[in-house]
Amino acid sequence: MDFKLSEEQQMLQDTAARLVRDAYPFEQREKFSGSELGFSAEFWAQLGELGLTAVPFAEDFGGFGGSGVETMLVMTELGRGLTLEPYLQSVIFAGGLIDQLGSEAQKAELLPQVAAGSLQLAVALDEPQSHYKLNDVQTRAEAVDGGYRLSGRKAVVIGGHSAGRIIVSARTSGDSRDEAGIGLFIVDPSAEGVSRRVYPTIDGRKGCELFLDNVQVGADALLGEAGNALSALRYQQGRAIAAQCADALGSMQEACTLTLDYLKTRRQFGVPIGKFQVLQHRMVDMQTELEQATSMAILAATVADAEDSDDRSRTLAAAKYICTRAARKIAEEAIQLHGGIGMTWEYNLAHHAKRLVMIAHQFGDDDHHLQAYARLMQVA
């Protein structure tokens, strides 16, 4: 197969790489992480100015009509630079939900703003008890005159502290784990009854707990049909998983590069420690894991925007499993080969390890996706 990038794809990758390299040195990242916003508003604006936030959207909404491959190119560079901006949550996941389920009026209002980088979105789907199950929803949406009343709690809403709109899953009918009866609602976080508890995550970003206390939303806040959102949620989470594999890939590539450079420069007994055969073997193991993850990230990108099917779901589950396993292996080996400096806060390798650990537990860990793959193989 020919894996060469087209001229346009190469330009896109070069643009993203140059922006991250110039605007996101590690020292600046630490300042962004410690700020009240938790990321760089200037960098987010630059993503919009260069059209990187417009990549996955149709030209009708100010986008470029990019596929999962173009998304992979951008996400890999963002992962390489350990960027803190909620690109995946806003552009890929939330933007994808609006693109798939939104009315023409909703798409015309929101998608051009997301594509331009002037509106940041977030998704509030997880709950304290849900543990990777999108159908485990206790937040309720009660139909009232002219709209809905939302009550409940959402957990680990990445980027929710700064989002202009948050897409919330809520149950319009049925029991807490029924697959039917789940709706999606666009919520203004400044609305009465909405509150947030903001906290830092392990990888330096910021998330929040979202509390909804009888929040009134209009009928136009509903995305798609009431109670019929689960299939779209699962489809768009698949796109987010493919993008996340690319994010992890960029971070793994950088971790391997840092480790190889360290082995070449750190000296012991008068020679670089990279001369020791046992360390060479461990470096080869890291590169092997990276090559497997690269192949699966590319495969995931090629099916990310394909029609929903068991085959697509199997591929994405396999990709997430392989990339999660590789991420953990590379993070652990990189720290081992560095020794004590690998855990130093001022050294960016430790932060790559934290990012890879965080990625391994978002949208399902390796056990979750291995079980999902096994179930899908039984029905193949």
Side-chain angles (χ1 to χ4, degrees), residues 54-319:
V55 167
F57 301 113
E59 293 181 9
D60 292 345
F61 304 114
F64 296 152
S67 67
V69 174
E70 283 74 26
T71 298
M72 179 191 73
L73 299 176
V74 175
M75 288 299 302
T76 300
E77 298 306 324
L78 295 179
R80 195 189 312 278
L82 280 176
T83 58
L84 300 161
E85 288 68 26
Y87 185 96
L88 186 151
Q89 288 77 17
S90 179
V91 176
I92 308 300
F93 207 158
L97 286 170
I98 293 173
D99 195 26
Q100 181 175 351
L101 294 179
S103 65
E104 291 303 316
Q106 288 170 328
K107 289 191 283 190
E109 176 190 358
L110 298 173
L111 291 185
Q113 297 182 66
V114 178
S118 59
L119 174 64
Q120 180 199 326
L121 303 175
V123 287
L125 310 176
D126 294 330
E127 298 186 1
Q129 81 294 334
S130 59
H131 193 63
Y132 307 143
K133 295 181 175 65
L134 290 172
N135 60 298
D136 192 342
V137 178
Q138 294 183 3
T139 299
R140 308 296 300 191
E142 179 186 359
V144 296
D145 290 342
Y148 294 86
R149 182 185 297 121
L150 307 180
S151 295
R153 174 186 174 188
K154 293 295 181 178
V156 197
V157 185
I158 302 298
H161 67 292
S162 58
R165 296 289 185 275
I166 302 177
I167 298 178
V168 176
S169 63
R171 186 164 292 284
T172 58
S173 63
D175 293 329
S176 62
R177 294 189 179 182
D178 288 351
E179 298 213 344
I182 298 172
L184 289 176
F185 301 86
I186 304 172
V187 175
D188 184 342
S190 64
E192 184 177 355
V194 179
S195 60
R196 292 170 285 188
R197 182 176 68 85
V198 182
Y199 51 83
T201 62
I202 189 175
D203 63 340
R205 291 180 292 178
K206 284 191 176 180
C208 71
E209 303 287 299
L210 182 69
F211 300 93
L212 306 166
D213 184 13
N214 292 319
V215 178
Q216 298 284 147
V217 298
D220 58 350
L222 175 67
L223 273 180
E225 300 177 6
N228 197 30
L230 185 59
S231 61
L233 275 176
R234 286 174 172 163
Y235 181 84
Q236 294 300 330
Q237 187 180 78
R239 293 180 67 246
I241 285 172
Q244 189 186 58
C245 288
D247 187 2
L249 179 61
S251 187
M252 285 188 280
Q253 289 173 345
E254 190 66 14
C256 286
T257 298
L258 290 169
T259 304
L260 184 58
D261 289 344
Y262 183 77
L263 294 181
K264 290 179 179 179
T265 56
R266 175 71 164 91
R267 298 180 70 85
Q268 189 79 24
F269 306 114
V271 297
I273 61 174
K275 292 285 188 180
F276 302 144
Q277 192 175 55
V278 65
L279 300 187
Q280 293 175 3
H281 289 170
R282 294 178 71 171
M283 190 70 228
V284 168
D285 289 342
M286 288 176 63
Q287 288 295 148
T288 301
E289 293 288 345
L290 178 61
E291 287 299 318
Q292 291 179 337
T294 301
S295 296
M296 293 308 294
I298 293 172
L299 182 58
T302 61
V303 303
D305 293 328
E307 291 186 8
D308 193 13
S309 66
D310 287 343
D311 187 55
R312 173 183 181 270
S313 298
R314 278 194 301 271
T315 299
L316 292 171

Side-chain angles (χ1 to χ4, degrees), residues 340-375:
I341 194 175
M343 297 295 291
T344 305
W345 187 258
E346 291 79 13
Y347 187 42
N348 56 354
L349 176 68
H351 297 266
H352 279 287
K354 288 174 178 288
R355 167 61 64 86
L356 292 171
V357 168
M358 183 78 172
I359 287 175
H361 291 279
Q362 281 185 297
F363 307 137
D365 58 19
D366 50 351
D367 287 339
H368 173 83
H369 285 283
L370 183 60
Q371 292 170 6
Y373 183 84
R375 286 195 301 270

